[in-house]
Amino acid sequence: MTPPYPDRPAAAAAAIAVADNNDHLVQSDNPDHPANLIPALCAKFWTLGWVTGTGGGASIRDDDLVYLAPSGVQKELMKPADIYVLSLAAQAKSLDRRSRVYLRSPAQYKPSQCTPLFLAAFTKRGAGCCIHTHSQWAVLVTLLLETRGSGSDGEFCINNIEQIKGFGRGFQKTGNLGYHDTLRIPVIENTAHEEDLTEFLEEAMDRYPDTYAVLVRRHGVYVWGENVHKAKTQCESLDYLFQLAVEMHKLGLPWMTEIEPVKTSRS
């Protein structure tokens, strides 16, 4: 007698393969689910010129799970099914930092080389979201700093600009920077392979414990925050300040100024 399901072993194997890929991790009707948010954010970033030509990306941490945009995908066309997922705890136990075991992997893409840099924001700063852009304004600011020569090109500083209020005061500190405060963003040198930036990004985070961003010369910027809202707000604020800084430079205006606070009834 012919079995009613002659292909049952193959079908069962296929079902196990699908189950093992944990596709349920990226399936949700909630628009705020990380697998839905990352494509939505990247589509928005593409309109701003931040993730042109598959460059840049974003990652969101939901407790122990880390959701990551893949490498080589057109960011404005990304779908939830394209998202990678890994366990932060499992990664922390790995003896080889370059070896990562993903809980969920899309078949058609490769993991992003940004992954270890995103993980640095999550592990060293407790971030809930990290964004990497190839913003032209970020690149231009690093080039302007480069003209100052070695020793004076490793930090972007600006003060007395309203948009600085978009930044928190620092890791585990309450409140935001004020109008008269100075925003300082470290600059690291670019490397031929993106994941090789990790050690330098971590060193910059150690040297600048209150920073929420690191510029990469001739490349772009990494920005993180406690959650998606804060990371996005700080990334937008920073890009505004980078563009403003470039325009100020054209006009011969300094980024750092001495301004006497205006006396008010609050003073």
Side-chain angles (χ1 to χ4, degrees):
M1 180 178 179
T2 303
Y5 304 104
D7 61 343
R8 175 60 64 86
I16 291 172
V18 170
D20 285 349
N21 198 35
N22 289 319
D23 287 340
H24 69 280
L25 293 175
V26 297
Q27 296 169 348
S28 174
D29 294 330
N30 184 350
D32 291 331
H33 187 280
N36 295 326
L37 263 181
I38 290 175
L41 287 171
C42 285
K44 174 64 175 178
F45 297 161
W46 181 80
T47 67
L48 299 174
W50 290 1
V51 292
T52 304
T54 79
S59 180
I60 296 173
R61 178 178 65 86
D62 182 10
D63 196 15
D64 179 57
L65 296 181
V66 174
Y67 295 78
L68 305 122
S71 175
V73 65
Q74 298 285 336
K75 296 301 189 295
E76 76 278 18
L77 303 177
M78 194 190 313
K79 303 180 294 295
D82 300 330
I83 301 298
Y84 280 84
V85 185
L86 60 73
S87 163
L88 200 60
Q91 186 60 39
K93 295 177 183 177
S94 175
L95 298 178
D96 183 359
R97 293 183 64 184
R98 291 177 180 267
S99 176
R100 285 174 285 278
V101 179
Y102 292 90
L103 298 177
R104 198 270 170 183
S105 303
Q108 68 272 40
Y109 294 114
K110 297 185 299 183
S112 172
Q113 283 208 359
C114 301
T115 299
L117 293 104
F118 291 147
L119 293 180
F122 300 144
T123 57
K124 292 180 72 68
R125 289 294 183 271
C129 177
C130 187
I131 299 166
H132 173 44
T133 86
H134 286 188
S135 161
Q136 293 184 33
W137 302 114
V139 174
L140 283 170
V141 161
T142 69
L143 291 174
L144 290 175
L145 288 169
E146 191 176 85
T147 64
R148 297 182 177 183
S150 179
S152 301
D153 61 347
E155 180 183 78
F156 169 73
C157 298
I158 193 167
N159 68 354
N160 295 316
I161 299 293
E162 182 71 9
Q163 198 67 35
I164 290 171
K165 293 179 179 179
F167 280 84
R169 289 196 171 277
F171 181 49
Q172 296 182 329
K173 294 182 178 180
T174 60
N176 283 26
L177 293 177
Y179 168 63
H180 291 294
D181 289 327
T182 297
L183 177 68
R184 303 180 188 277
I185 306 296
V187 182
I188 61 176
E189 300 301 326
N190 197 25
T191 56
H193 301 286
E194 186 131 14
E195 63 183 333
D196 292 337
L197 288 168
T198 309
E199 62 180 290
F200 303 108
L201 180 130
E202 290 180 336
E203 289 173 0
M205 294 169 79
D206 291 338
R207 287 186 286 108
Y208 291 77
D210 291 332
T211 191
Y212 285 96
V214 174
L215 278 160
V216 184
R217 196 174 322 277
R218 297 173 174 264
H219 180 150
V221 66
Y222 281 85
V223 186
W224 57 87
E226 179 183 339
N227 50 46
V228 174
H229 172 78
K230 291 185 178 180
K232 180 175 178 289
T233 297
Q234 291 178 155
C235 199
E236 291 172 345
S237 297
L238 197 53
D239 204 62
Y240 170 96
L241 291 168
F242 288 156
Q243 181 175 2
L244 185 67
V246 171
E247 297 299 334
M248 289 171 71
H249 179 79
K250 289 180 184 178
L251 298 172
L253 300 173
W255 299 342
M256 294 291 295
T257 55
E258 294 291 337
I259 295 179
E260 190 70 25
V262 174
K263 299 293 184 181
T264 68
S265 58
R266 291 175 177 269
S267 302

